[in-house]
Amino acid sequence: MPSNAQSWVFGANDPELGRGLNHLPYTCFLDEKGKRRIAVGIGACLLDLKAASPLIPQHLREALSETTLNHFMGLGPAAWRELRTVLQFLLSRANRDRKVLEAALVPLHDLPLELPAAVGDYTDFYASRHHALRVGELFRPEKPLLENYDWVPIAYHGRASSLVPSGTVVRRPAGQRLADSSPVFAPTEKLDYELELGFYIGQGNALGEPITIDEAENHLFGVSLLNDWSARDIQAWEYQPLGPFLGKNFCTSVSPWITPMEAVNSLKVRAQPHQNGILHYLQNEHLETVNLNLIVQISTTRSRRAVLAPMQVSQSNSRGLFWTPEQMVTHHTSGGCNLRPGDLLATGTISGERREQAGCLLELTRNGHEPITLPNGERRAFLEDGDEIIFTGWSQTEGQMPIRLGECRGTLLG
Ligand code: CA
């Protein structure tokens, strides 16, 4: 299949949609009986994989007829590649036999989408050195980066139960924080977003059997935009000495679209150099990272009333991440921890080198001390009720259809 092959499905060759034959992201929708159906996005449509099963190789049909992708994820990269190759041909203009497929296509419109995988465990890393440095400067100006940062991929174990699909309303959490030198329990006054990518694990590993850096890419299934909503005042009071807890676990929004690694692997770039070196278990000859442009937009109660389009807050790119997704997989399992199909490893806030490329308000407003002015004149130190945060992402090679990640959005109840 030529890399710029065209599809016969409506909208599939539209660069604005970014869901061409070179993308084929996975998602899940509810059928007319309210049952979950696994699907692949193509242009303005979804291909219902259960309905398309007569055309899918027999040994993959059972996994793709299930209500989550986990079984299929666990089959490994040969199965993922096989399905992708079959679908790329069936949906291409070269295929003249379209009857079964046409019956399996569902128009997307405003169809509500669900997370296609059941996430058993969710881990959040801290892989942007620019983010770590700038946050460190706010709280420890004398020593912004702790000495472990350049050596060990920092992370915490997150909460899978409060992962929600894009579009779910977000409630402002109440919690314990320090106010005028005394602790109080009250709604957070420092609600923030964090621009992140979440990588889904495909095949897992057995307990006690680490995944080496050379094997790690075979365990990565796909990537989604993710918003790790954070209550900065709760986080600041509780995080020492064991790390984030209630300041992070009230809600994490994830796009219902998973872009397969095969779609972004061809767009990878060399990983960031490490001045001090890398310990051997995290090192190999071809350390590469995904190259995705990322944008944060906001729409407010006032901007919606004025019928304004969402306003851009910042722009970043994942190529500046200090640790690659493969290094996260290898480090996570290096002591023997087992990963399972559908587990989610998030990157942590993805900030660029410059302050305007910051992936959260904590950095952009210097912990609220320097509020930003939005294009409609409103000011923000942290989020206000009614604010909607929208993440988008895309990547493109010259002469190819762009790949646009499924967006991740959430509105603060208000
Ligand atoms: Ca985070």
Side-chain angles (χ1 to χ4, degrees):
M1 173 84 25
S3 55
N4 56 355
Q6 300 237 310
S7 168
W8 52 271
V9 178
F10 181 67
N13 309 310
D14 179 355
E16 291 302 312
L17 289 177
R19 281 192 296 272
L21 287 176
N22 61 341
H23 191 180
L24 302 182
Y26 293 95
T27 190
C28 172
F29 71 101
L30 301 181
D31 66 15
E32 63 279 5
K33 291 179 186 153
K35 294 242 166 70
R36 288 171 56 93
R37 296 278 199 141
I38 297 301
V40 157
I42 176 78
C45 298
L46 292 176
L47 180 69
D48 176 343
L49 292 179
K50 193 172 181 180
S53 66
L55 301 172
I56 289 172
Q58 196 158 10
H59 61 280
L60 302 178
R61 285 181 199 165
E62 190 192 334
L64 292 167
S65 298
E66 293 186 7
T67 54
T68 69
L69 269 175
N70 296 56
H71 180 178
F72 180 66
M73 289 166 141
L75 294 181
W80 314 333
R81 272 196 298 271
E82 186 180 1
L83 178 68
R84 188 170 170 81
T85 306
V86 168
L87 294 182
Q88 281 178 330
F89 171 73
L90 291 172
L91 297 165
S92 75
R93 286 186 176 159
N95 175 27
R96 310 304 302 174
D97 185 10
R98 302 172 183 175
K99 254 197 192 142
V100 175
L101 281 173
E102 277 168 345
L105 285 172
V106 183
L108 249 174
H109 295 307
D110 290 326
L111 207 57
L113 301 176
E114 307 267 320
L115 298 187
V119 180
D121 278 298
Y122 157 51
T123 304
D124 196 14
F125 281 81
Y126 198 51
S128 165
R129 196 174 188 278
H130 304 304
H131 172 66
L133 191 60
R134 227 171 290 121
V135 170
E137 281 165 357
L138 287 173
F139 299 106
R140 292 179 306 274
E142 68 294 346
K143 194 178 184 191
L145 268 191
L146 298 176
E147 63 187 341
N148 60 0
Y149 189 85
D150 282 351
W151 294 101
V152 59
I154 303 292
Y156 67 95
H157 284 121
R159 185 79 198 160
S161 65
S162 49
L163 291 170
V164 298
S166 170
T168 307
V169 165
V170 180
R171 292 164 202 262
R172 180 181 295 273
Q176 197 181 132
R177 63 185 157 87
L178 198 60
D180 302 325
S181 72
S182 310
V184 296
F185 184 89
T188 175
E189 293 182 348
K190 290 190 172 182
L191 192 60
D192 200 356
Y193 58 83
E194 290 193 338
L195 170 65
E196 306 199 14
L197 291 171
F199 289 88
Y200 282 92
I201 297 299
Q203 260 181 327
N205 60 305
L207 184 67
E209 293 180 15
I211 297 171
T212 68
I213 191 70
D214 292 332
E215 294 169 343
E217 73 172 333
N218 293 326
H219 293 263
L220 287 162
F221 178 79
V223 59
S224 298
L225 284 165
L226 179 147
N227 185 344
D228 177 29
W229 302 96
S230 300
R232 300 302 186 189
D233 41 9
I234 299 171
Q235 185 185 352
W237 177 233
E238 73 176 5
Y239 88 103
Q240 286 179 320
L242 282 185
F245 186 31
L246 307 189
K248 299 275 192 179
N249 73 359
F250 56 94
C251 184
T252 305
S253 301
V254 193
S255 171
W257 295 97
I258 303 179
T259 291
M261 291 311 290
E262 293 102 315
V264 288
N265 277 343
S266 60
L267 307 165
K268 278 182 169 177
V269 291
R270 294 290 296 174
Q272 287 293 299
H274 288 212
Q275 307 290 341
N276 299 327
I278 302 174
L279 289 182
H280 65 91
Y281 75 105
L282 294 173
Q283 173 74 285
N284 71 11
E285 293 301 306
H286 43 271
L287 287 176
E288 291 183 323
T289 201
V290 288
N291 181 16
L292 290 162
N293 299 302
L294 305 168
I295 286 186
V296 179
Q297 292 174 303
I298 188 170
S299 105
T300 67
T301 307
R302 234 175 82 187
S303 75
R304 286 192 296 275
R305 274 193 199 127
V307 203
L308 293 175
M311 302 170 282
Q312 184 168 319
V313 180
S314 64
Q315 182 164 3
S316 186
N317 188 298
S318 62
R319 70 175 163 253
L321 288 171
F322 193 70
W323 299 107
T324 70
E326 287 80 5
Q327 286 172 321
M328 294 177 210
V329 168
T330 295
H331 182 68
H332 203 307
T333 63
S334 58
C337 174
N338 51 329
L339 296 175
R340 294 175 292 193
D343 283 357
L344 190 59
L345 308 189
T347 55
T349 308
I350 303 174
S351 297
E353 200 166 359
R354 299 196 306 276
R355 188 166 145 200
E356 65 270 21
Q357 298 170 321
C360 63
L361 288 174
L362 176 71
E363 280 180 63
L364 277 175
T365 70
R366 298 187 60 82
N367 196 17
H369 296 303
E370 298 172 21
I372 52 166
T373 304
L374 303 177
N376 71 341
E378 283 183 87
R379 283 159 68 80
R380 283 293 180 278
F382 287 98
L383 297 175
E384 295 189 5
D385 292 348
D387 285 354
E388 180 177 39
I389 293 294
I390 305 151
F391 295 164
T392 52
W394 82 97
S395 195
Q396 186 171 20
T397 316
E398 220 182 308
Q400 306 266 321
M401 267 282 288
I403 284 168
R404 297 192 189 277
L405 299 187
E407 65 178 20
C408 179
R409 59 170 75 213
T411 304
L412 197 54
L413 194 65

